[in-house]
Amino acid sequence: TQLLEQSPQFLSIQEGENLTVYCNSSSVFSSLQWYRQEPGEGPVLLVTVVTGGEVKKLKRLTFQFGDARKDSSLHITAAQPGDTGLYLCADGQNFVFGPGTRLSVLP
Amino acid sequence: GAVVSQHPSRVICKSGTSVKIECRSLDFQATTMFWYRQFPKQSLMLMATSNEGSKATYEQGVEKDKFLINHASLTLSTLTVTSAHPEDSSFYICSASAGFSPLHFGNGTRLTVT
């Protein structure tokens, strides 16, 4: 059974700071997806990465997929209060989710 | 973008009653739908996977007789929580996929059993 880990579990930062959150798997991802979820709503897909070593950018968000396809990182530059939420990684084949990183960006 | 509608968004029911939650893909055909449960401040826990026209596949520890899933068409799946108890109170979220496309999530249903 694939196990996904995410770190840190919680992160509270000031507006304007940079941050990186991580996702690791006990096995190789066929593909990996990052989602953001706000309270009381369903998760919203941010990105899908497929190729080892792949880097994707979405405005202030940079996603990296490890060469071995067992880990990924999400870097946010100049965080804003609107970035607050639960960030989840998920295996794109079996749709198992990691435990998430709860980010709070304070104004 | 793809839209998944989940209804109701909130429901309060008495212990012992059954509750049905609907999940509809509005602008695409969902070959697979997923049902998740989420406790406060926790991640999504996959309950079951359903494919149109076939029986749902339940994750270990999820009672199939208590959480009845019907995927009667390519645009509709329902989750019925039978004989609900307070411990079934949770946030239930559905998602839909068209083959290998990314998941599209509904906005969830907050179930409170009194």
Side-chain angles (χ1 to χ4, degrees):
Chain A
T1 303
Q2 182 184 32
L3 295 176
L4 273 65
E5 296 180 342
Q6 288 187 246
S7 62
Q9 187 177 1
F10 300 97
L11 186 58
S12 181
I13 61 171
Q14 292 294 133
E15 182 176 3
E17 294 183 358
N18 302 331
L19 67 113
T20 303
V21 299
Y22 302 91
C23 174
N24 297 280
S25 172
S26 58
S27 55
V28 173
F29 288 102
S30 53
S31 64
L32 182 149
Q33 296 171 343
W34 283 95
Y35 293 81
R36 184 174 76 205
Q37 183 184 23
E38 298 190 26
E41 299 182 8
V44 174
L45 178 68
L46 297 175
V47 77
T48 300
V49 287
V50 179
T51 307
E54 184 176 3
V55 177
K56 282 192 174 180
K57 290 195 173 186
L58 181 65
K59 297 183 180 179
R60 294 177 292 102
L61 278 61
T62 302
F63 304 85
Q64 287 192 311
F65 199 17
D67 291 340
R69 289 163 51 217
K70 295 182 71 175
D71 60 274
S72 179
S73 65
L74 158 59
H75 181 81
I76 301 178
T77 303
Q80 299 176 0
D83 297 325
T84 294
L86 178 65
Y87 288 81
L88 298 158
C89 65
D91 184 287
Q93 183 172 23
N94 61 30
F95 301 117
V96 171
F97 281 77
T101 292
R102 191 165 297 278
L103 172 66
S104 177
V105 182
L106 306 175
Chain B
V3 177
V4 174
S5 174
Q6 192 171 337
H7 178 81
S9 58
R10 291 178 180 270
V11 58
I12 300 173
C13 70
K14 292 187 176 181
S15 186
T17 61
S18 295
V19 174
K20 180 184 285 188
I21 302 169
E22 291 188 348
C23 180
R24 295 180 183 271
S25 57
L26 298 183
D27 54 359
F28 68 102
Q29 292 186 327
T31 52
T32 307
M33 286 190 172
F34 304 84
W35 287 95
Y36 292 85
R37 183 173 180 176
Q38 187 175 32
F39 291 104
K41 300 189 186 300
Q42 295 188 22
S43 185
L44 283 71
M45 183 191 78
L46 180 63
M47 297 176 66
T49 303
S50 71
N51 294 292
E52 184 264 339
S54 63
K55 289 184 178 180
T57 301
Y58 289 81
E59 295 298 304
Q60 192 173 11
V62 178
E63 299 176 57
K64 63 180 181 180
D65 294 330
K66 179 168 186 62
F67 299 99
L68 301 179
I69 292 172
N70 185 294
H71 193 164
S73 75
L74 285 171
T75 59
L76 174 64
S77 177
T78 60
L79 166 67
T80 301
V81 183
T82 62
S83 187
H85 291 285
E87 57 265 31
D88 297 325
S89 298
S90 190
F91 192 53
Y92 293 88
I93 308 176
C94 73
S95 66
S97 173
F100 291 101
S101 66
L103 288 181
H104 303 284
F105 283 84
N107 274 334
T109 296
R110 180 152 313 276
L111 170 64
T112 303
V113 184
T114 61

